């Protein structure tokens, strides 16, 4: 498999005084096209407003992770969500929130605080216009859908006179992101609207917690029911300083799409015929994709390493190749001896290690 797996940073696509939109390109990260995956980021400044839009079938499966927003008691980020044939839900969002939303969703985003609101978008693109890329359709703005229709068609659709059509279609000169000015007050979030729509990965119960090793929260159909509709699993992993994440692979033919949230470290990926296909340093903002059945392992630098991953199956299953739950521990001693071509003494030494550690390994003493 001769595909470049090197981690990449997102590139700016467009910006305004309200914020910026960034995306990863399949030309620079070929695994996006190979895995039918797209990735992008939205950065909103104070009073930045991402205009209502929907995406092509590339966002049939979609994960949104709030990466950087301060939430006080009143909230600092707001998402508007309209599911097909449903009323608008207005959701307060904060750092660590993950939202899983199915096909056909209209959304808008607003930041009313001084701190930048940063949102990560990850999705599957098998039915997209362009493999490995999102195509967004804006409902309003200079590039909005209705700028393409004639005044007659819009007037008939909305039952408006020509002068009103021209104002509604033409007054918003911004594209994609604008800054809310004047006396316009966007709707306040409703607590009941969060239920079932969002899960905060930093507050959810831990699925794994290893002292001086790391912690993980897994998003699946149990804690976020919409995962079943979007068809993707996900997790947020925090690796402590100098700790290691066990070598492992997805055993259900899934791709692993990993975004480095903060910190830095080293990663290695091994593929067919024992070939090391990636050895690299990763840092905040990097995105990289591990092919199906390839084995990946990471070691954090002294400041630790945190990443968010989606896996292209709703309830992923991993096989780990080291630690107390590693596949090697399940094999009989004689099989290990024969497989490694070692004597009984070395096999016993090998088996005696990592009996108390699973998935995350603290740094050596």
């Amino acid at each position: 498999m001769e595909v470049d797996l090197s981690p990449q940073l997102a590139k700016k696509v467009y910006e305004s005084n309200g914020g910026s939109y960034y995306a990863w390109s399949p030309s620079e990260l070929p695994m996006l096209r190979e895995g039918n995956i797209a990735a992008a980021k939205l950065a909103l400044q104070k009073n930045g407003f991402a205009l209502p839009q929907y995406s092509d079938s590339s966002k049939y499966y979609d994960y949104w992770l709030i990466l950087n927003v301060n939430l006080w008691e009143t909230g600092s980020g707001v998402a508007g969500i309209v599911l097909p044939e449903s009323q608008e839900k207005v959701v307060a969002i904060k750092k660590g929130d993950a939202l899983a939303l199915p096909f056909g969703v209209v959304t808008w985003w607003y930041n009313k605080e001084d701190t930048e609101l940063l949102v990560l978008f990850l999705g599957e693109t098998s039915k997209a216009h362009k493999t490995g890329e999102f195509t967004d359709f804006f409902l309003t703005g200079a590039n909005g859908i209705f700028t393409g229709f004639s005044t007659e068609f819009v007037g008939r659709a909305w039952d408006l006179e020509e002068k009103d059509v021209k104002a509604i279609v033409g007054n918003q000169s911004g594209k994609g992101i604008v800054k809310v000015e004047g006396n316009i007050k966007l709707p306040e979030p409703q607590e009941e609207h969060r239920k079932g729509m969002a899960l905060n990965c930093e507050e959810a119960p831990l699925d794994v917690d290893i002292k001086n090793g790391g912690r993980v929260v897994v998003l699946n159909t149990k804690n976020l029911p919409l995962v079943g509709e979007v068809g993707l699993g996900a997790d947020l992993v925090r690796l402590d300083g100098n700790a290691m994440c066990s070598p492992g692979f997805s055993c259900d033919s899934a791709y692993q799409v990993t975004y480095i949230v903060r910190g830095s470290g080293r990663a290695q990926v091994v593929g067919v015929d024992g070939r090391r296909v990636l050895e690299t340093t990763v840092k905040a903002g990097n995105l990289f994709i591990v092919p199906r059945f390839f084995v990946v392992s990471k070691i954090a630098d002294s400041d630790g390493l945190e990443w968010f991953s989606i896996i292209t199956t709703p309830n992923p299953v991993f096989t780990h190749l080291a630690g107390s739950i590693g596949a090697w521990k399940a094999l009989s001693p004689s099989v290990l001896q024969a497989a490694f071509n070692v004597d009984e003494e070395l096999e016993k030494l090998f088996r005696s290690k990592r009996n108390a550690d699973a998935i995350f390994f603290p740094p050596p003493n």
Side-chain angles (χ1 to χ4, degrees), residues 127-183:
K127 297 181 181 179
H129 288 279
K130 299 177 182 178
T131 302
E133 298 181 44
F134 293 135
T135 300
D136 296 326
F137 296 85
F138 293 93
L139 301 189
T140 184
N143 58 343
I145 292 295
F146 282 94
T147 61
F149 282 102
S150 67
T151 302
E152 177 194 2
F153 270 62
V154 178
R156 289 281 300 273
W158 290 346
D159 191 22
L160 292 175
E161 295 181 3
E162 181 176 345
K163 64 179 180 62
D164 298 320
V165 168
K166 289 182 177 179
I168 287 181
V169 173
N171 279 9
Q172 180 54 269
S173 59
K175 291 184 177 181
I177 301 171
V178 300
K179 194 168 187 175
V180 175
E181 308 281 3
N183 297 322

Side-chain angles (χ1 to χ4, degrees), residues 13-14 21-26 32-33 36-42 53-64 101 119-138 232 257 287 310:
V13 180
Y14 59 85
Y21 181 83
Y22 304 79
W24 283 267
S25 169
L32 291 172
R33 187 178 292 110
N36 271 320
I37 296 156
K41 287 195 296 187
L42 172 68
Q53 57 94 10
Y54 64 93
S55 295
D56 63 0
S57 57
S58 65
K59 283 193 176 180
Y60 183 86
Y61 311 110
D62 192 13
Y63 261 107
W64 298 342
L101 299 176
V119 186
L120 173 69
F121 303 91
L122 299 173
E124 200 266 359
T125 65
S126 61
K127 297 181 181 179
H129 288 279
K130 299 177 182 178
T131 302
E133 298 181 44
F134 293 135
T135 300
D136 296 326
F137 296 85
F138 293 93
L232 296 176
V257 186
L287 184 85
I310 63 166

Side-chain angles (χ1 to χ4, degrees), residues 275-321:
R275 181 184 169 205
R276 188 187 308 154
V277 294
L278 180 67
E279 180 172 15
T280 189
T281 297
V282 292
K283 61 182 181 180
N286 280 156
L287 184 85
F288 71 101
I289 301 170
V290 179
R292 293 176 293 182
F293 298 109
F294 281 36
V295 178
V296 60
S297 182
K298 307 178 190 76
I299 297 177
D301 288 340
S302 59
D303 58 345
L305 183 64
E306 181 175 340
W307 66 87
F308 181 77
S309 295
I310 63 166
I311 302 93
T312 55
T313 183
N315 292 294
V317 179
F318 287 93
T319 293
H320 295 278
L321 299 180

Side-chain angles (χ1 to χ4, degrees), residues 211-225:
K211 184 178 180 180
N212 298 323
R215 287 149 297 285
V216 61
V217 171
V218 178
L219 283 72
N220 52 37
T221 53
K222 294 180 180 179
N223 54 19
L224 194 59

